Amino acid sequence: MLSETPLLQVQNLSMRFAAPRSLLEWASGTPRRELHAVRDVSFTLAAGETLGVVGESGCGKSTLGRCLVGLYEPAAGEILWHGRPLRELGNRQAISRKIQMIFQDPYSSLNPRMSLEQTLAETLKVHGLATTRGERKDRIDELLLTVGLAPRLKDRLPYAFSGGQRQRISIARALAVGPELIVADEPVSALDASVQAQIINLFEEIRENLGVAFLFIAHDLSVVRHISQRIAVMYLGQSMEVADTDALFDSPRHPYTRALLGAIPRPDPDERQNGVSLEGELPNPFNPPKGCAFSTRCPHVIDACRTSIPPLRKLGATHHARCLPHILDLRGQ
Amino acid sequence: MITSTSQALLEVSNLQTRFYNQHQAITAVDGVSFEIRQGEVFGLVGESGCGKSATCRSLLRLFGGADARVSASHIRFDQIDLATLSEEQLSNVRGRQISMVFQDPMTALNPTMRIGEQIAEALRRHDGLSGQPLRDATIALLKAVGVTSPQERLRAWPHEFSGGMRQRVLIAIALACKPRLLIADEPTTALDVTIQDQILKLLLRMRREIGLSVLMVTHDLGVVAQTCDRVAVMYAGRIVESGDTRQLFRNPTHPYTQALLAALPTLSGPRHKLKPIGGEPPNLADLPSGCRFHTRCPQAVERCRVEDPQLRHVAPGHLSACIRQEEWAC
């Protein structure tokens, strides 16, 4: 499968937003400030594969996901779908037949006045699928079965469902069009631990049984580890390290990946982390460091890091990191 | 481990908190008892709606306008019974003896007051400081919580601070009057993981340096494992298991604690399929009979539907509320 054209190729993708000006700035003719939410990000995704995208707030992971479903028009770079530019698929509706999105908050991403059945029926109608009433009913029942909801709940409105059930509805709606890729943006972070595990397992089943690929965006590394074959770590709009899941956790190479892994509180009191915390905070995204985005907090920083952005280096067949070679060679912390 | 004596600083016995609205009354906390020792970090952990936040708010009766009624056999804090205090008496305890840090550092600060002013307000009110001593004390506090160049930051507005910096300021305000107990209600949930790490280490440093006792309320078992000396696990308004953190993680005896730990995705070891707990936490307005966990418990038997389990010792200092414990002990 890997020798074929990948399902999705993202090449040097960048996305900028213009900030609104204050009255004073407007009057004095100050140019609009630009926020570089995603800077020069590249990766590939094979059919039926899950790529985890992790990073802290403001790292650009959600913006990246929104570019892929056509919600944002990227400022630069290329998104290839089966080897051809994504925009050749057509408008947003045409893209949404192939790529679907699931959001974090299952409370606001469902129409509160539509029953479960109406929600799913509308998606089918909009895309001209399952056109007769009988077909529609069968398809809806099948979708509910896939996501583990009882068909007898069909007439209920969203408020009658719990958070976990609502996220199941969102998943059923995404699956309704038979997509090849689902972009899931923090889909389990609003859920309690006991329910979170149910939804993670559901994503796994869908990938295995239906062959859907996932771009799984999350801030929780342990969740991402369980669900992804490969992981991309982002920081302030840049992709810092991309690797197979086991390689990333067993031998993280980028200093930010190592710091991130070291900062997660592990649920094991025998493994108390007394290591040094990563100091400082995220730089102002309107005024990012000139060189490497992580240079203001990196424990290994040298002058060269502050002046130019290091290129993405290939460390193995599927392992890349954006850092200087001698720093990447420091194993452990 | 720490310089903790066995003497209890706070002893909560049989706490019950009910919330009322036009339609119904809900018992969010139902017969909760625990104690926090001097210099100890005590964790209260559970999923949303389990009553952990209601428990800690009940201690100081901070409900922000909700109609809540608190009753308890006693809430003994250093010889005083907080349960019997009037609102006025209690307000002398708040901030001075016991203070609180909340989850959301974005809304807990006054947006129209400069950072230095907000910290000074607490110092002025409780210690009666003014002038240069007040300014010095404010700067010293900001420095203690790790705010860099505190002199310049005094005149900053809350919106100029990031989430992590605001949480530091809130901790500074909470510590302004040298309280003996700090209640931290999900203090790092809204923060990024590298900033969470900084704030948790700050709290542990404060405990070490000034002998602060902390009630750490969290949903995150990782935070508990990394910071707490002892922990109580709550489910549907009750404590189902409590004990020494190490003991509880190594040898969880209540089926809910066991299931919760097994449901967690891990950062190391083999990546096997997760074992979720079936169903969802119960609605407090419509609780199951008998053991409140029996509807989701993989080990439930007929007896669990009718018998209400009580907390019992399973080992010294380790309590668990499961009626099947005795069978397993044999």
Side-chain angles (χ1 to χ4, degrees), chain B:
Chain B
M1 226 183 333
I2 317 96
T3 54
S4 71
T5 58
S6 59
Q7 201 195 343
L9 175 68
L10 177 79
E11 193 183 296
V12 177
S13 171
N14 204 18
L15 177 73
Q16 197 184 60
T17 306
R18 290 166 73 80
F19 287 95
Y20 296 83
N21 67 12
Q22 294 109 308
H23 312 292
Q24 59 187 359
I26 279 176
T27 308
V29 182
D30 193 10
V32 160
S33 305
F34 61 92
E35 58 173 52
I36 301 177
R37 296 167 198 158
Q38 188 71 50
E40 179 179 60
V41 181
F42 183 80
L44 211 49
V45 67
E47 299 179 278
S48 43
C50 72
K52 56 191 190 301
S53 281
T55 299
C56 70
R57 281 160 187 269
S58 301
L59 304 180
L60 294 176
R61 283 180 246 151
L62 288 172
F63 295 108
D67 185 7
R69 274 161 236 178
V70 178
S71 68
S73 300
H74 61 258
I75 305 175
R76 192 166 295 130
F77 176 76
D78 191 31
Q79 332 281 352
I80 343 163
D81 188 355
L82 301 181
T84 60
L85 296 188
S86 68
E87 181 56 33
E88 202 188 332
Q89 290 169 315
L90 196 61
S91 75
N92 282 323
V93 175
R94 290 187 197 129
R96 202 178 300 225
Q97 308 264 2
I98 305 178
S99 59
M100 198 157 166
V101 177
F102 299 92
Q103 170 173 350
D104 189 358
M106 300 299 161
T107 57
L109 286 169
N110 183 343
T112 65
M113 259 169 98
R114 294 182 194 273
I115 294 291
E117 226 1 73
Q118 303 199 38
I119 299 173
E121 188 184 39
L123 287 168
R124 200 182 299 127
R125 182 173 141 82
H126 291 286
D127 287 356
L129 291 177
S130 63
Q132 194 58 37
L134 177 64
R135 193 180 144 81
D136 291 345
T138 309
I139 292 173
L141 260 177
L142 273 178
K143 207 168 171 181
V145 296
V147 172
T148 45
S149 46
Q151 288 94 332
E152 289 103 86
R153 301 294 197 124
L154 286 181
R155 291 185 56 76
W157 299 100
H159 74 260
E160 297 173 280
F161 273 37
S162 66
M165 290 303 253
R166 283 184 223 197
Q167 199 60 292
R168 286 177 197 268
V169 171
L170 287 167
I171 292 171
I173 294 173
L175 298 182
C177 306
K178 304 177 189 69
R180 303 184 59 194
L181 176 66
L182 178 73
I183 301 175
D185 187 2
E186 301 269 9
T188 57
T189 306
L191 306 176
D192 275 322
V193 55
T194 57
I195 308 299
Q196 161 170 288
D197 187 42
Q198 297 171 356
I199 297 293
L200 292 178
K201 288 198 172 123
L202 168 66
L203 286 175
L204 291 180
R205 182 162 63 83
M206 290 296 155
R207 182 268 289 272
R208 213 167 43 236
E209 286 175 5
I210 59 177
L212 188 69
S213 307
V214 182
L215 173 57
M216 179 77 78
V217 179
T218 179
H219 70 283
D220 188 335
L221 285 160
V223 171
V224 171
Q226 292 299 321
T227 61
C228 298
D229 303 311
R230 287 190 309 126
V231 57
V233 182
M234 286 190 76
Y235 186 80
R238 293 213 174 143
I239 290 177
V240 295
E241 183 164 7
S242 70
D244 175 76
T245 306
R246 190 162 276 164
Q247 202 172 15
L248 192 126
F249 275 77
R250 217 184 267 167
N251 191 16
T253 57
H254 195 280
Y256 175 63
T257 317
Q258 292 171 346
L260 203 56
L261 283 167
L264 286 187
T266 54
L267 282 166
S268 51
R271 288 189 282 148
H272 47 73
K273 209 167 152 74
L274 296 175
K275 297 191 203 79
I277 307 178
E280 311 242 354
N283 179 350
L284 289 176
D286 182 24
L287 285 168
S289 62
C291 173
R292 292 170 179 189
F293 185 57
H294 87 259
T295 51
R296 306 173 75 194
C297 182
Q299 292 158 49
V301 292
E302 196 52 36
R303 239 166 26 105
C304 301
R305 282 214 315 201
V306 282
E307 279 180 52
D308 197 358
Q310 302 300 315
L311 277 170
R312 285 199 183 84
H313 277 281
V314 288
H318 190 167
L319 296 159
S320 179
C322 176
I323 54 165
R324 300 202 62 197
Q325 224 82 81
E326 291 134 70
E327 298 170 33
W328 297 326
C330 301

Side-chain angles (χ1 to χ4, degrees), chain A residues 103-112 158 166 170 173:
Chain A
F103 297 91
Q104 170 174 355
D105 183 6
Y107 291 81
S108 58
S109 58
L110 294 171
N111 185 333
R166 280 183 226 203
S170 303
R173 183 175 59 182

Side-chain angles (χ1 to χ4, degrees), chain A residues 61-78:
Chain A
K61 55 192 193 297
S62 292
T63 305
L64 174 68
R66 282 160 187 247
C67 287
L68 298 184
V69 296
L71 280 171
Y72 294 147
E73 183 63 39
E78 200 68 73

Side-chain angles (χ1 to χ4, degrees), chain A residues 226-295:
Chain A
H226 265 265
I227 210 156
S228 316
Q229 279 80 52
R230 280 189 309 131
I231 293 176
V233 180
M234 289 186 70
Y235 185 80
L236 206 69
Q238 292 176 349
S239 112
M240 293 303 194
E241 187 163 4
V242 185
D244 288 344
T245 301
D246 288 334
L248 191 90
F249 281 86
D250 295 342
S251 55
R253 304 285 292 276
H254 196 285
Y256 177 62
T257 313
R258 291 185 215 151
L260 197 59
L261 284 170
I264 301 166
R266 290 166 198 253
D268 182 354
D270 289 326
E271 223 186 293
R272 288 234 167 150
Q273 289 135 283
N274 298 315
V276 189
S277 298
L278 191 58
E279 299 212 351
E281 312 219 357
L282 210 68
N284 180 354
F286 281 106
N287 186 19
K290 202 187 274 166
C292 171
F294 190 53
S295 60

Side-chain angles (χ1 to χ4, degrees), chain A residues 15-326:
Chain A
M15 179 69 207
R16 292 191 287 265
F17 296 102
R21 286 181 293 188
S22 71
L23 189 64
L24 201 71
E25 285 169 331
W26 174 78
S28 62
T30 315
R32 275 177 186 274
R33 290 184 305 165
E34 281 198 325
L35 188 146
H36 290 247
V38 175
R39 293 192 281 171
D40 194 21
V41 168
S42 306
F43 61 87
T44 61
L45 181 62
E49 184 188 41
T50 298
L51 175 73
V53 180
V54 293
E56 300 179 277
S57 46
C59 74
K61 55 192 193 297
S62 292
T63 305
L64 174 68
R66 282 160 187 247
C67 287
L68 298 184
V69 296
L71 280 171
Y72 294 147
E73 183 63 39
E78 200 68 73
I79 303 171
L80 300 179
W81 180 253
H82 288 291
R84 308 190 53 81
L86 180 69
R87 67 184 99 79
E88 281 183 16
L89 273 179
N91 59 9
R92 277 244 307 116
Q93 184 176 343
I95 294 175
S96 72
R97 286 283 297 274
K98 303 287 181 194
I99 309 176
Q100 277 282 320
M101 186 148 185
I102 295 170
F103 297 91
Q104 170 174 355
D105 183 6
Y107 291 81
S108 58
S109 58
L110 294 171
N111 185 333
R113 295 174 192 215
M114 279 175 125
S115 72
L116 169 52
E117 185 173 23
Q118 286 167 330
T119 298
L120 296 178
E122 185 185 61
T123 306
L124 294 173
K125 277 185 210 154
V126 163
H127 290 279
L129 301 163
T131 41
T132 70
R133 195 181 266 183
E135 277 172 6
R136 225 167 16 235
K137 185 187 169 296
D138 290 348
R139 179 74 177 131
I140 289 172
D141 286 351
E142 185 192 10
L143 286 167
L144 294 182
L145 199 68
T146 309
V147 300
L149 286 169
R152 67 182 159 79
L153 305 173
K154 269 194 298 204
D155 297 326
R156 297 209 184 160
L157 292 171
Y159 80 87
F161 292 98
S162 66
Q165 285 173 319
R166 280 183 226 203
Q167 206 53 296
R168 288 178 195 270
I169 300 173
S170 303
I171 297 168
R173 183 175 59 182
L175 289 174
V177 298
E180 289 175 68
L181 169 66
I182 291 179
V183 175
D185 189 0
E186 298 272 12
V188 297
S189 38
L191 305 175
D192 273 319
S194 69
V195 179
Q196 179 174 294
Q198 298 172 9
I199 303 296
I200 292 174
N201 283 350
L202 177 59
F203 279 123
E204 281 284 277
E205 283 161 26
I206 290 170
R207 195 182 66 81
E208 279 163 22
N209 300 336
L210 303 176
V212 180
F214 282 95
L215 188 84
F216 195 94
I217 300 165
H219 69 280
D220 186 333
L221 271 156
S222 54
V223 168
V224 172
R225 175 174 179 266
H226 265 265
I227 210 156
S228 316
Q229 279 80 52
R230 280 189 309 131
I231 293 176
V233 180
M234 289 186 70
Y235 185 80
L236 206 69
Q238 292 176 349
S239 112
M240 293 303 194
E241 187 163 4
V242 185
D244 288 344
T245 301
D246 288 334
L248 191 90
F249 281 86
D250 295 342
S251 55
R253 304 285 292 276
H254 196 285
Y256 177 62
T257 313
R258 291 185 215 151
L260 197 59
L261 284 170
I264 301 166
R266 290 166 198 253
D268 182 354
D270 289 326
E271 223 186 293
R272 288 234 167 150
Q273 289 135 283
N274 298 315
V276 189
S277 298
L278 191 58
E279 299 212 351
E281 312 219 357
L282 210 68
N284 180 354
F286 281 106
N287 186 19
K290 202 187 274 166
C292 171
F294 190 53
S295 60
T296 56
R297 301 171 77 190
C298 182
H300 306 292
V301 67
I302 57 168
D303 283 343
C305 307
R306 298 198 182 91
T307 49
S308 65
I309 299 175
L312 207 58
R313 280 194 171 72
K314 195 173 170 124
L315 304 170
T318 53
H319 199 155
H320 293 81
R322 191 184 285 282
C323 192
L324 300 172
H326 72 277

